[in-house]
Amino acid sequence: MGTAGERAAGGAHGGDGGGAALIDAALGFVFPAALRAAALARVADHLSEGPRTPAEVAAATDTDPAALTRVLRLLATRGLFGEDEQGRFRLEAAGQALRSDVPGSVRDGILMITDRTFWLPAGRMDHCLSTGGSVFEDIFAKPFFDHFAQDAETAAVFHDGMAAMSGVENGPIADAYDFPRTGTVVDVGGGQGGFLAAVLRASPGLNGVLYDRAHVVAGHRLGDDAALADRWSTAEGDFFTDVPRGDILLLKRILHDWQDEQCVRLLRACRRSLAPGGRVLVVDAVIAPDNRPHQAKDLDLLMMASLVGRERTHEDFRALLAEAGLRLTRVCSTPTVLSVVEARAADEAPETGGS
């Protein structure tokens, strides 16, 4: 087939035009497959102290040396690893977050995104085009979250993965929004509590409530931070029917999981529990009305294949909020792929300067 450079050169000189680039794009799925294999074997952990031969790493990871060499060779083309003249591989700066033992590790996030619950449905996206719906239930016999409820191992992959993805974004998002100095913030569907912890650290005058299903709340990590002592509590329930009362109600990476009608039910529950003058903060990706690359567009297709939800535009959020009795007041960008969509009660007098 030739190297990528050879194919690109052939196309540039009148060969197959853009065909070579499309073939390279079609082969793109091999990289995350190799990335997953390396993450599962904890290869980065075993290279953290310096270069080692594939045989040495294979002995430490119970893998095949020849196969490991081939995986490392591909990942080295992406700058995650490097190879010296003696055939030893080293961990590069770009691969540090693949380690499991460093702050900002995304290993669990990679394992979640490449898990079969996302991988297999994505491979059958043609089904989505034919039916307009998710293919997840055809493969796993149950809807996404029902499948997790019966499979504790897969559920742990999901929740640990979400915590890893959130770990690198929670602080920047909490710092990007001007939270009030006092009051109660409720993290609705807050998982293990990483975002709530970041908000409470950024705003020392706030108290927080972590709200989710009982089996999810049971795995919270709020108690690990002495700076949050006596400033948080947990609550269990179904956010489609009831939400604890608060001045700030957070919905981070929640609405994109659900169809519009389900989102409206959830937002109405939030509206009923919103204290006077309070705000609902939807923290999600906002798709811009242009064709520039954005992670939201990739996530949107994962949602289409595996769940029932979608990523949304500014106007999509405005319409959802209005139907739930809320008024979009502004959209705050953050240093991450997510934005903070702020809403207040629709019958509350608007503040000057709102959008």
Side-chain angles (χ1 to χ4, degrees):
M1 294 180 67
T3 66
E6 289 168 345
R7 293 196 300 271
H13 287 87
D16 60 355
L22 292 178
I23 292 297
D24 276 344
L27 282 167
F29 74 94
V30 179
F31 169 63
L35 188 61
R36 175 178 178 81
L40 282 170
R42 299 181 185 271
V43 171
D45 289 1
H46 291 281
L47 290 176
S48 62
E49 295 183 0
R52 303 178 72 180
T53 66
E56 291 171 333
V57 179
T61 58
D62 194 26
T63 55
D64 180 78
L68 180 61
T69 300
R70 296 162 74 177
V71 168
L72 287 171
R73 186 169 58 199
L74 174 63
L75 296 179
T77 68
R78 306 300 180 95
L80 304 183
F81 301 98
E83 184 179 7
D84 63 22
E85 293 180 354
Q86 288 75 44
R88 299 179 303 172
F89 283 88
R90 63 183 177 274
L91 181 64
E92 301 285 18
Q96 288 292 331
L98 191 57
R99 292 171 56 183
S100 64
D101 58 349
V102 294
S105 169
V106 295
R107 176 181 177 270
D108 286 342
I110 290 167
L111 293 180
M112 179 192 71
I113 293 170
T114 59
D115 185 76
R116 62 197 301 267
T117 50
F118 286 115
W119 188 280
L120 296 183
R124 291 184 55 190
M125 201 168 292
D126 58 309
H127 173 95
C128 304
L129 295 181
S130 300
T131 66
S134 167
V135 69
F136 190 93
E137 195 165 349
D138 283 19
I139 298 173
F140 296 100
K142 289 181 180 292
F144 189 84
F145 288 111
D146 290 349
H147 174 70
F148 283 4
Q150 71 167 18
D151 187 336
E153 184 176 346
T154 301
V157 169
F158 178 78
H159 292 300
D160 289 345
M162 287 303 301
M165 287 181 63
S166 295
V168 298
E169 66 191 14
N170 286 335
I173 294 172
D175 291 339
Y177 182 79
D178 53 332
F179 284 91
R181 294 184 178 180
T182 60
T184 299
V185 55
V186 181
D187 195 356
V188 180
Q192 296 177 348
F195 186 48
L196 179 60
V199 170
L200 295 181
R201 283 194 293 268
S203 304
L206 289 176
N207 292 315
V209 179
L210 178 65
Y211 180 61
D212 213 317
R213 295 282 193 175
H215 70 279
V216 179
V217 170
H220 78 80
R221 301 177 180 179
L222 292 172
D224 297 339
D225 193 335
L228 308 183
D230 302 321
R231 295 176 55 207
W232 59 270
S233 61
T234 63
E236 304 164 359
D238 178 0
F239 55 43
F240 286 119
T241 59
D242 188 37
V243 171
R245 190 167 181 81
D247 303 287
I248 297 286
L249 304 183
L250 302 174
L251 295 164
K252 180 172 181 283
R253 291 192 184 269
I254 299 295
L255 294 191
H256 76 160
D257 290 340
W258 305 101
Q259 295 172 318
D260 287 359
E261 51 268 38
Q262 294 166 309
C263 291
V264 171
R265 283 174 53 201
L266 169 53
L267 289 168
R268 284 175 176 164
C270 290
R271 171 65 188 91
R272 291 192 297 269
S273 297
L274 193 61
R279 312 171 216 172
V280 175
L281 303 183
V282 177
V283 184
D284 254 330
V286 178
I287 297 179
D290 57 44
N291 291 323
R292 287 177 296 176
H294 193 284
Q295 192 185 95
K297 297 171 185 178
D298 300 270
L299 293 174
D300 188 39
L301 295 190
L302 284 186
M303 297 300 106
M304 182 174 74
S306 287
L307 288 97
V308 296
R310 61 190 177 99
E311 306 300 337
R312 294 177 169 87
T313 66
H314 184 286
E315 290 307 313
D316 290 333
F317 281 115
R318 187 186 299 278
L320 278 184
L321 292 163
E323 192 170 348
L326 295 162
R327 173 174 50 84
L328 191 155
T329 50
R330 58 176 172 151
V331 176
C332 303
S333 61
T334 78
T336 76
V337 300
L338 305 182
S339 296
V340 180
V341 180
E342 180 192 83
R344 297 176 183 265
D347 55 3
E348 182 180 280
E351 293 184 352
T352 58
S355 60

